[in-house]
């Protein structure tokens, strides 16, 4: 896999430091960066001190810092998924590789989630092996990825 | 529609302590979320280089998931119901009975099968905690403490979420308090829990836990660019920050929540050292956030070797801050 350029991968956002000189997490210093991941899904809560020094819960629309590190991981997976999709269309990759990356998994995670040995999952990423898989096993993969079994079998036509 | 009466959804910083606080309050034992977190002794630091998730070492700022639900009831003297299942259909049928009987129950679920989460956050994390508060046709009403309002989940999704396989599989865990004591000796509980946290953070006989763990991680950070490529370095630093800020924490790697606990403890015991420790714990949380910013700068702009030295020094400082706090808290006996 080619090495991605960090600058092109990251969303272009400004990263201010933590405001204020004193070392106290005040309510007004709770980041409200309206990050993309939370949009449409609500807010999260953090603990911060009010003007009397009392801790209280404060809602936040997210912190750019957490968004950057999340996107960094997500972008890599999305790129790998796209790459696997193109190759699967040409019959050079197994659709399982596409779905694995689409749902942010690596081989150990997929194997654990499916309840299979890692070496078996690794084999299933080979298109030749994938084409010979039984319907029963394909159905298990389809259930795990929450897609129809035909999406796996007729990947080229359905995706 | 079955909806449990008198239920008021509350938005918390962390799923497990939030579920526990909600369930205990509903059964007549009102404890705040920081109190639940503090009394369980759930504050921790662990860097486990031999345990990988997503090809990254596990880094945790609290005890392992499930610790609070398992340990807090015993400490408080609460009789507690916990059950796991082998048969998913039985588990769902019993859940329906609980809902019909107006019994508020906590469940362990997988984020991967919870469609109400943002898609980017639906990783394979099996130790999420929710409360079921009702059922409407084929959908359950969910009080998920880290969301700001009630959510819904389809019965088929919930079934999958409760029986996800893999690391820390929920096995359909359902739990709720049976009998709560009329009153708690909070002072004794606070002293005991602080003692336990201090002991673990300072003296755990393993190099990966507590202050030793923080320093261990700092040493690793310096070495990392020599051992791996830039992409790995970025992911490694990003992983530290994700575990600190994003994975169910509420910011500052649980340090702010513990500071809130110490503040509340000071209100109950009036030991001046608790107030001082609370203020310092807040500063420690801020130091963790500054550390996170430094890591994020590297993730964004690429890595120079002097950056890593700088990051490692910040991390050591975070460890040093906390070491002083725990030493101070040794006075609480």
């Amino acid at each position: 896999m080619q090495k991605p350029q960090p600058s092109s991968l990251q969303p272009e956002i400004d990263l201010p430091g933590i405001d204020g000189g004193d070392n106290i997490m005040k309510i007004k210093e709770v980041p409200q960066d309206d990050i993309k991941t939370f949009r449409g899904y609500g807010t999260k809560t953090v603990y911060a001190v009010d003007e009397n020094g009392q801790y209280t819960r404060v809602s936040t629309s997210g912190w750019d810092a957490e968004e950057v590190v999340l996107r960094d991981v997500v972008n890599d997976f999305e790129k790998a998924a796209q790459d696997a999709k193109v190759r699967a269309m040409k019959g050079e990759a197994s659709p399982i590789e596409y779905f694995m990356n689409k749902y942010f998994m690596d081989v150990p995670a997929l194997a654990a989630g499916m309840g299979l040995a890692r070496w078996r999952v690794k084999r299933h990423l080979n298109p030749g092996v994938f084409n010979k898989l039984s319907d029963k096993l394909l159905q298990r993969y389809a259930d795990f990825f929450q897609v129809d079994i035909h999406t796996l079998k007729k990947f080229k036509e359905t995706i | 529609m079955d909806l449990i009466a008198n239920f008021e959804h509350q938005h918390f910083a962390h799923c497990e302590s939030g579920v526990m606080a909600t369930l205990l309050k509903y059964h007549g034992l009102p404890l705040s979320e920081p109190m639940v977190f503090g009394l369980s002794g759930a504050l921790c630091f662990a860097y486990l280089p031999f345990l990988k998730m997503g090809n990254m070492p596990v880094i945790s700022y609290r005890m392992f998931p499930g610790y609070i639900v398992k340990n807090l009831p015993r400490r408080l003297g609460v009789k507690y119901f916990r059950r796991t299942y082998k048969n998913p259909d039985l588990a769902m049928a019993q859940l329906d009975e609980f809902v019909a009987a107006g019994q508020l129950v906590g469940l362990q679920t997988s984020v991967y099968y919870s469609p109400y989460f943002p898609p980017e956050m639906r990783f394979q994390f099996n130790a999420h905690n929710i409360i079921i508060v009702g059922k409407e046709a084929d959908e359950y009403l969910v009080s998920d403490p880290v969301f700001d309002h009630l959510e819904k989940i389809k019965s088929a999704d919930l079934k999958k979420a409760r029986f996800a396989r893999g690391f820390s599989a929920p096995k359909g865990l359902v739990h709720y308090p049976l009998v709560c004591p009329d009153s708690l000796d909070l002072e004794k509980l606070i002293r005991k829990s602080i003692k336990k946290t201090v002991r673990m953070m300072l003296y755990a006989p393993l190099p990966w836990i507590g202050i030793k763990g923080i320093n261990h991680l700092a040493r690793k950070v310096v070495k990392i660019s020599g051992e791996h490529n830039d992409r790995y370095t970025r992911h490694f630093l990003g992983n530290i920050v994700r575990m600190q800020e994003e994975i169910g924490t509420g910011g500052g790697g649980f340090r702010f929540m513990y500071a809130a606990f110490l503040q509340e403890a000071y209100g109950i015991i009036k030991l001046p050292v608790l107030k001082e420790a609370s203020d310092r714990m807040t500063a420690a949380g801020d130091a963790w956030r500054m550390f996170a910013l430094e890591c994020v700068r590297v993730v964004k702009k690429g890595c120079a070797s002097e950056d890593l030295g700088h990051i490692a020094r910040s991390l050591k400082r975070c460890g040093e801050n906390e070491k002083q706090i725990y030493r101070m808290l040794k006075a609480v006996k």
Side-chain angles (χ1 to χ4, degrees):
Chain A
M1 182 193 259
Q2 74 190 79
K3 218 160 148 188
Q5 291 297 310
S7 53
S8 64
L9 257 174
Q10 297 306 322
E12 279 309 309
I13 48 169
D14 206 25
L15 264 191
I18 295 172
D19 306 329
D22 53 346
N23 275 335
I24 294 291
M25 179 71 162
K26 294 216 178 91
I27 289 174
K28 67 173 167 51
E29 279 148 28
V30 172
Q32 301 288 356
D33 294 339
D34 188 25
I35 63 175
K36 200 175 138 205
T37 307
F38 288 2
R39 253 173 249 163
Y41 290 91
T43 57
K44 80 175 193 183
T45 270
V46 295
Y47 286 84
V49 289
D50 65 15
E51 57 274 25
N52 302 318
Q54 285 299 309
Y55 261 100
T56 175
R57 289 202 299 266
V58 183
S59 285
T60 157
S61 56
W63 190 25
D64 280 339
E66 61 182 323
E67 182 75 351
V68 168
V69 290
L70 177 62
R71 290 288 151 194
D72 190 40
V73 177
V74 166
N75 285 346
D76 268 18
F77 277 116
E78 279 171 357
K79 218 169 178 174
Q82 202 53 39
D83 179 56
K85 187 173 161 185
V86 172
R87 283 184 295 117
M89 291 297 186
K90 289 189 269 182
E92 291 165 9
S94 146
I96 291 174
E97 187 180 339
Y98 166 72
F99 284 106
M100 177 178 85
N101 284 297
K102 188 180 173 199
Y103 295 121
F104 317 124
M105 283 179 265
D106 54 4
V107 170
L110 177 56
M114 282 287 294
L116 295 173
R118 286 181 198 182
W119 65 268
R120 286 187 72 190
V121 172
K122 220 178 261 174
R123 270 186 84 234
H124 301 160
L125 299 187
N126 178 330
V129 176
F130 173 81
N131 288 334
K132 288 184 199 149
L133 287 184
S134 70
D135 275 7
K136 204 176 148 200
L137 195 53
L138 280 178
Q139 187 60 53
R140 266 176 77 188
Y141 272 112
D143 288 344
F144 185 64
F145 295 132
Q146 308 187 61
V147 292
D148 197 83
I149 186 166
H150 295 293
T151 319
L152 285 178
K153 285 173 109 174
K154 306 245 183 281
F155 188 74
K156 287 177 205 171
E157 291 103 77
T158 45
I159 286 288
Chain B
M1 176 176 110
D2 289 323
L3 177 66
I4 285 160
N6 310 324
F7 183 80
E8 186 196 341
H9 175 69
Q10 273 185 294
H11 190 193
F12 289 112
H14 170 223
C15 66
E16 197 177 348
S17 46
V19 160
M20 219 45 203
T22 307
L23 288 176
L24 289 174
K25 184 182 166 206
Y26 193 79
H27 286 86
L29 205 60
L31 287 177
S32 69
E33 183 190 18
M35 211 55 177
V36 164
F37 184 75
L39 289 183
S40 325
L43 189 78
C44 189
F45 181 90
Y47 161 54
L48 308 174
F50 46 85
L51 194 60
K52 299 268 185 354
M53 270 180 106
N55 203 24
M56 284 293 149
V58 168
I59 294 167
S60 179
Y61 296 78
R62 45 130 179 184
M63 293 300 281
F64 48 88
Y67 182 81
I68 298 176
V69 171
K70 205 166 179 183
N71 287 281
L72 186 67
R74 203 180 51 215
R75 280 183 188 217
L76 300 182
V78 172
K79 281 215 180 97
Y80 211 78
F81 177 90
R82 291 165 47 89
R83 174 159 184 200
T84 53
Y85 296 85
K86 279 201 174 134
N87 178 351
D89 294 320
L90 177 67
M92 294 309 282
Q94 291 216 330
L95 178 63
D96 285 348
E97 285 171 27
F98 286 133
V99 174
Q103 177 68 55
L104 203 61
V105 294
L107 297 180
Q108 187 184 336
T109 56
S110 164
V111 172
Y112 177 72
Y113 291 111
S114 305
Y116 59 86
F117 263 77
E120 296 90 339
M121 294 179 78
R122 286 172 62 187
F123 286 81
Q124 293 270 325
F125 177 67
N126 283 339
H128 189 54
N129 286 277
I130 59 171
I131 294 173
I132 297 295
V133 296
K135 192 178 182 186
E136 205 176 18
D138 195 35
E139 280 186 324
Y140 289 91
L141 282 173
V142 174
S143 169
D144 186 324
V146 298
F147 282 79
D148 52 16
H149 48 265
L150 286 178
E151 300 287 345
K152 283 179 182 172
I153 185 167
K154 287 211 170 64
S155 146
D157 286 329
L158 184 62
K159 191 163 152 186
K160 283 185 183 171
R162 293 179 70 192
F163 287 90
R165 297 179 202 231
F167 188 62
S168 64
K171 300 195 179 88
L173 175 70
V174 53
H175 59 92
Y176 62 90
L178 289 167
V179 185
C180 289
D182 297 333
S183 65
L184 291 174
D185 186 354
L186 274 180
E187 178 164 348
K188 195 173 145 206
L189 289 165
I190 288 167
R191 286 175 189 271
K192 210 171 152 189
S193 70
I194 289 178
K195 213 166 132 188
K196 187 188 163 286
T197 298
V198 166
R199 226 169 24 212
M200 186 174 53
M201 294 301 284
L202 289 179
Y203 305 120
L206 296 166
W208 311 291
I209 312 288
I211 308 296
K212 284 183 206 140
I214 301 178
N215 289 329
H216 192 72
L217 180 60
R219 287 196 297 278
K220 176 72 185 175
V221 167
V222 183
K223 283 189 281 184
I224 193 162
S225 67
E227 293 169 359
H228 297 279
N229 61 17
D230 278 2
R231 181 168 167 265
Y232 186 88
T233 307
R234 277 195 299 124
H235 279 193
F236 189 88
L237 296 175
N239 182 49
I240 306 177
V241 177
R242 277 181 62 216
M243 296 304 142
Q244 177 187 325
E245 289 297 327
E246 185 197 303
I247 312 296
T249 71
F254 289 100
R255 269 59 194 167
F256 295 125
M257 207 200 281
Y258 203 75
F261 160 70
L262 291 171
Q263 187 176 67
E264 217 179 313
Y266 172 68
I268 295 165
I269 312 190
K270 300 287 178 210
L271 269 178
V273 66
L274 289 175
K275 187 176 175 354
E276 172 78 16
S278 169
D279 290 347
R280 286 209 189 192
M281 193 55 95
T282 308
D286 278 324
W288 277 109
R289 288 171 64 79
M290 293 306 283
F291 162 76
L293 275 178
E294 280 166 21
C295 290
V296 168
R297 253 174 225 132
V298 171
V299 171
K300 265 193 88 177
K301 301 216 165 79
C303 173
S305 54
E306 63 267 23
D307 286 338
L308 291 177
H310 190 66
I311 285 176
R313 276 195 296 281
S314 300
L315 193 51
K316 282 213 162 116
R317 239 186 341 265
C318 287
E320 188 56 38
N321 291 341
E322 291 200 19
K323 195 171 174 179
Q324 288 176 11
I325 300 170
Y326 303 126
R327 286 209 170 137
M328 213 158 80
L329 283 172
K330 275 163 84 177
V332 182
K333 282 188 182 122

